[in-house]
Amino acid sequence: MSSKPDASRPRAADTKKVHIADTQMTRQNWYKHVNWLNVAFIIGVPISGCIQAFWVPLQLKTAIWAVIYYFFTGLGITAGYHRLWAHCSYSATLPLRIWLALVGGGAVEGSIRWWARDHRAHHRYTDTDKDPYSVRKGLLYSHLGWMVMKQNPKRIGRTDITDLNEDPVVVWQHRNYIKVVLGMGLIVPMLVAGLGWGDWYGGFVYAGILRIFFVQQATFCVNSLAHWLGDQPFDDRNSPRDHIITALVTLGEGYHNFHHEFPSDYRNAIEWHQYDPTKWTIWSWKQLGLAYDLKQFRSNEIEKGRVQQLQKKIDQKRAKLDWGTPLDQLPVMEWDDYVEQTKNGRGLISIAGVVHDVTDFIKDHPGGKAMIKSGLGKDATAMFNGGVYYHSNGAHNLLSTMRVGVIRGGGEVEIWKRAQKENSEYVRDETGQRIIRAGQQVTKMPEPIPTADAA
């Protein structure tokens, strides 16, 4: 006979149980998808602070202290959680690490271990389903939704946090996180305002609750705004972007396109005029002996990325332009046929062995109708390249869009040589188009050449 299960023993975990995040949200089960604990801390507490602010006057000293503590706790996230622990972009002495762990906890954004683990997953799996706060799921989701809606932890990409597990400061903060949050998030700002100038309640509301709200929203902007607003000077395959507004909001974390390309660099902004107080603070700590081993990507590699992205943008623009029919796709015309068509009223002109139909351009020719008509039905190579007028780069580009054929005989051999060169030696962009630089047009001759005898 089978024995009855012992009710005193805990049941084994049901590995086949479907996580609520993997089920469809309906009117009946929507509340099960919500992480109510996070809703209380991220939305409920700030709302209560806003309500209390109606009855608690804001003193100037408290306002100044709230701003100062905002920067302290904000740097705990940007310089501590992010650049020190998540990316190891510099090293810090024990006193600095302890201070960053404390003020970072005061921002109430989770423990270092949890925060850095998710952030490493975000970098490794950017814009994919394994990205814990992918902007592809919506701007609001990447800003707030990923925390207030339950996520299946098994869906988040795996990352290595061995170094964090071996850091005693990280381990201590993780184990005592609630104490750190209550102490640094609420008690310390209240004590400073209360003992300093007697504003206990104001310190609790403004330097505590509301300051936490603003720090959190600033950090959340790195996950949302920095993936939505701005330019992509280094790579556009993923969503990270650079923008001054995001930088101002996030203590310098707004140059996010650079950061995703070079995550181990202790800087987010590399230009002197770009706003990155976190970078300046880390540099200052180095001068004081509190930080060391500040990592920077070589400027040569940074410029490579910038140039490659510029090339990509140029290629995209080039693909939309009319560069004329390629030489090897043009029909071959006999010289007599070329002359005959011209006599019959077609405005054809031969330059460097390539025939162009300028019928519709004659009336718009800047040099006058008579000048361009004098070259119809002839070899106008010398005339076009300085014999009469040394035409501009723009003129050569415009002429390339009027190609209709290649003359057999005379300059034909040179033309086919150039066609072969186009297919074998000329650089092509990512769309397959030949890159035609100024002065390399087939009609552009290094110096005027003698007019062909057939003309």
Side-chain angles (χ1 to χ4, degrees), residues 48-103:
S48 71
C50 291
I51 294 174
Q52 294 177 70
F54 280 101
W55 292 277
V56 181
L58 176 59
Q59 298 184 23
L60 178 59
K61 292 180 180 179
T62 303
I64 295 174
W65 163 234
V67 172
I68 292 173
Y69 202 53
Y70 168 89
F71 276 91
F72 283 172
T73 52
L75 287 171
I77 298 298
T78 60
Y81 278 38
H82 188 206
R83 303 193 196 186
L84 176 61
W85 281 297
H87 293 299
C88 305
S89 63
Y90 70 100
S91 299
T93 59
L94 181 60
L96 180 56
R97 283 170 33 229
I98 293 174
W99 185 80
L100 287 171
L102 290 173
V103 293

Side-chain angles (χ1 to χ4, degrees), residues 102-339:
L102 290 173
V103 293
V108 195
E109 296 183 16
S111 69
I112 298 168
R113 185 179 183 275
W114 175 85
W115 197 102
R117 178 255 179 276
D118 268 14
H119 192 71
R120 289 181 183 181
H122 166 66
H123 271 262
R124 187 176 183 183
Y125 304 102
T126 304
D127 297 340
T128 69
D129 289 337
K130 293 184 178 182
D131 181 349
Y133 28 86
S134 173
V135 76
R136 302 296 185 199
K137 297 179 181 180
L139 185 66
L140 184 60
Y141 178 87
S142 63
H143 186 81
L144 202 63
W146 69 280
M147 287 175 292
V148 299
M149 304 302 292
K150 291 180 180 177
Q151 287 196 76
N152 186 347
K154 294 182 179 179
R155 300 292 183 187
I156 300 175
R158 293 185 177 182
T159 57
D160 181 12
I161 56 172
T162 304
D163 58 317
L164 301 178
N165 292 332
E166 295 175 350
D167 188 327
V169 174
V170 174
V171 173
W172 172 84
Q173 196 232 35
H174 186 72
R175 290 176 177 173
N176 298 276
Y177 180 66
I178 299 300
K179 297 177 183 178
V180 173
V181 165
L182 293 175
M184 299 301 295
L186 297 172
I187 296 174
V188 167
M190 181 177 63
L191 283 175
V192 171
L195 296 175
W197 49 91
D199 190 13
W200 296 88
Y201 208 178
F204 178 78
V205 172
Y206 295 106
I209 295 176
L210 294 182
R211 186 265 320 159
I212 290 173
F213 170 72
F214 286 114
V215 169
Q216 288 178 343
Q217 295 305 311
T219 304
F220 299 162
C221 283
V222 181
N223 303 332
S224 58
L225 204 61
H227 287 260
W228 178 73
L229 176 67
D231 301 321
Q232 297 177 298
F234 297 98
D235 195 0
D236 62 0
R237 292 175 299 170
N238 293 318
S239 61
R241 298 171 181 273
D242 289 0
H243 203 283
I244 180 61
I245 290 179
T246 316
L248 291 171
V249 171
T250 61
L251 299 184
E253 302 281 70
Y255 301 99
H256 214 50
N257 192 253
F258 172 85
H259 173 63
H260 268 255
E261 281 295 291
F262 313 103
S264 63
D265 198 308
Y266 87 97
R267 307 164 299 173
N268 258 211
I270 56 175
E271 304 296 341
W272 67 268
H273 55 82
Q274 293 176 322
Y275 181 75
D276 188 359
T278 301
K279 172 189 70 176
W280 303 331
T281 302
I282 295 171
W283 181 86
S284 299
W285 287 338
K286 179 184 178 182
Q287 310 313 309
L288 297 172
L290 296 172
Y292 56 97
D293 191 23
L294 277 58
K295 297 177 182 176
Q296 294 185 33
F297 258 83
R298 290 189 298 168
S299 58
N300 183 70
E301 308 313 308
I302 293 173
E303 288 308 308
K304 280 182 184 177
R306 198 195 305 270
V307 168
Q308 287 170 334
Q309 182 63 9
L310 286 172
Q311 288 176 329
K312 187 174 183 179
K313 291 180 179 179
I314 290 173
D315 291 345
Q316 292 169 350
K317 289 184 177 181
R318 182 185 292 112
K320 299 177 182 179
L321 302 176
D322 178 11
W323 296 92
T325 305
L327 294 178
D328 54 1
Q329 296 179 23
L330 292 172
V332 177
M333 300 177 64
E334 300 294 338
W335 179 263
D336 292 340
D337 183 38
Y338 158 66
V339 174

